[in-house]
């Protein structure tokens, strides 16, 4: 039996990206398992989604910790207890510190609702509309010590219309998020992501074992 990659997912809100990962796992499109879901928000609907799928789900109350680092240390304790190898931020509304990043080198990923490096940080869809761009999108990237500044794994483009509100644009972007986040996680699970400088190289899929016949 092959040992599956253990994923820990950090969430704060609705958890539609968590759901897309769960659905992809259950459909066999990702060869891994979610070993725990952790939220800093007790009422995050994402926790309900996890429980419905019998995934261990935890709330860590950030108010109980004196610093970001102390909170992150508690997160790391839980991730280690669940043998997590890949940490996926999915609508996690906190900046993570080196306390969380260092134990998981090149193994923390995030989804951001803009075509980075445009519009990092909060309210990316609002920023895009205020700037008047015609195309925006979403980005899955490795997390580094900056804000939404890590190496880019996959991006998808989405049109922005002058009739858009923040909500209509966010909804159109989410459709693509739900496609590219599971894809990026499967590439990681297959060991097909490597870094050259800050460029993520996506290795070709392993050979199928079929050899071409000599002509
Ligand atoms: C998504 O737009 C994601 O890109 C951003 O936060 C939102 C989370 O949505 N980081 P959900 O909780 O996954 O539905």
């Amino acid at each position: 039996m092959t040992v599956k990659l253990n994923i820990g997912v950090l969430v704060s809100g609705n958890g539609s990206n968590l759901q897309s990962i769960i659905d992809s796992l259950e459909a066999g499109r990702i060869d891994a398992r979610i070993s725990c879901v952790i939220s800093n928000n007790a009422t995050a609907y994402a926790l309900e989604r996890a429980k419905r799928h019998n995934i261990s789900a935890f709330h860590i109350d950030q108010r109980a910790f004196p610093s970001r680092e102390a909170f992150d240390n508690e997160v790391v304790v839980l991730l280690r207890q669940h043998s997590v190898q890949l940490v996926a931020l999915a609508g996690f509304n906190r900046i993570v510190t080196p306390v969380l990043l260092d134990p998981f080198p090149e193994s923390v990923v995030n989804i951001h609702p803009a075509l980075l490096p445009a519009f990092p940080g909060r309210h990316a869809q609002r920023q895009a509309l205020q700037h008047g761009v015609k195309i925006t999108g979403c980005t899955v990237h490795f997390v580094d010590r900056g804000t939404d500044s890590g190496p880019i794994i996959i991006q998808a483009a989405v049109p922005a219309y002058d009739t858009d509100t923040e909500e209509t644009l966010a909804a159109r972007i989410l459709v693509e998020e739900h496609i590219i986040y599971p894809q990026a996680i499967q590439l990681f699970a297959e060991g097909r992501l490597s870094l050259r400088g800050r460029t993520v190289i996506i290795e070709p899929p392993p050979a199928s074992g079929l050899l071409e016949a000599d002509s």
Side-chain angles (χ1 to χ4, degrees):
M1 201 183 88
T2 51
V3 181
K4 291 196 171 195
L5 176 85
N6 283 325
I7 307 170
V9 185
L10 306 192
V11 294
S12 300
N14 179 29
S16 69
N17 277 289
L18 169 68
Q19 189 68 54
S20 76
I21 298 166
I22 292 171
D23 292 346
S24 295
L25 288 164
E26 292 184 350
R29 292 190 295 269
I30 302 179
D31 192 21
R33 58 189 289 273
I34 297 177
S35 52
C36 64
V37 170
I38 302 172
S39 175
N40 60 331
N41 171 12
T43 61
Y45 185 59
L47 290 172
E48 290 303 315
R49 295 183 191 267
K51 286 177 203 158
R52 277 191 205 165
H53 292 267
N54 296 315
I55 297 168
S56 301
F58 303 91
H59 166 233
I60 304 180
D61 186 352
Q62 59 201 28
R63 292 168 302 187
F65 298 89
S67 64
R68 282 189 191 284
E69 286 77 10
F71 175 85
D72 281 1
N73 188 58
E74 187 66 17
V75 173
V76 170
V77 167
L78 258 184
L79 294 172
R80 284 201 162 125
Q81 279 171 2
H82 290 81
S83 306
V84 164
Q85 298 156 294
L86 172 68
V87 181
L89 312 184
F92 188 57
N93 63 10
R94 282 177 70 88
I95 291 169
V96 297
T97 71
V99 170
L100 196 153
L101 295 175
D102 290 350
F104 300 99
E106 287 157 25
S107 303
V108 181
V109 291
N110 182 43
I111 179 113
H112 182 76
L115 288 178
L116 292 170
F119 314 127
R122 294 169 69 81
H123 306 302
Q125 302 93 337
R126 188 185 306 171
Q127 293 183 56
L129 289 177
Q130 285 174 348
H131 197 90
V133 296
K134 301 299 185 202
I135 294 178
T136 181
C138 48
T139 303
V140 183
H141 62 94
F142 285 112
V143 179
D144 66 8
R145 293 179 183 215
T147 301
D148 301 320
S149 56
I152 291 166
I153 301 171
I154 305 184
Q155 295 183 298
V158 171
Y161 303 122
D162 51 20
T163 50
D164 265 326
T165 63
E166 217 175 309
E167 290 71 30
T168 58
L169 179 59
R172 195 177 308 115
I173 293 172
L174 268 177
V175 173
E176 298 301 320
E177 293 186 35
H178 299 161
I179 296 169
I180 67 170
Y181 211 3
Q183 285 176 344
I185 290 172
Q186 174 60 4
L187 288 170
F188 185 97
E190 291 176 300
R192 290 174 55 196
L193 300 179
S194 61
L195 279 169
R196 190 173 62 211
R198 59 161 295 124
T199 300
V200 175
I201 309 296
I202 301 178
E203 306 292 346
S208 66
L210 296 175
L211 294 175
E212 273 181 42
D214 286 344
S215 51

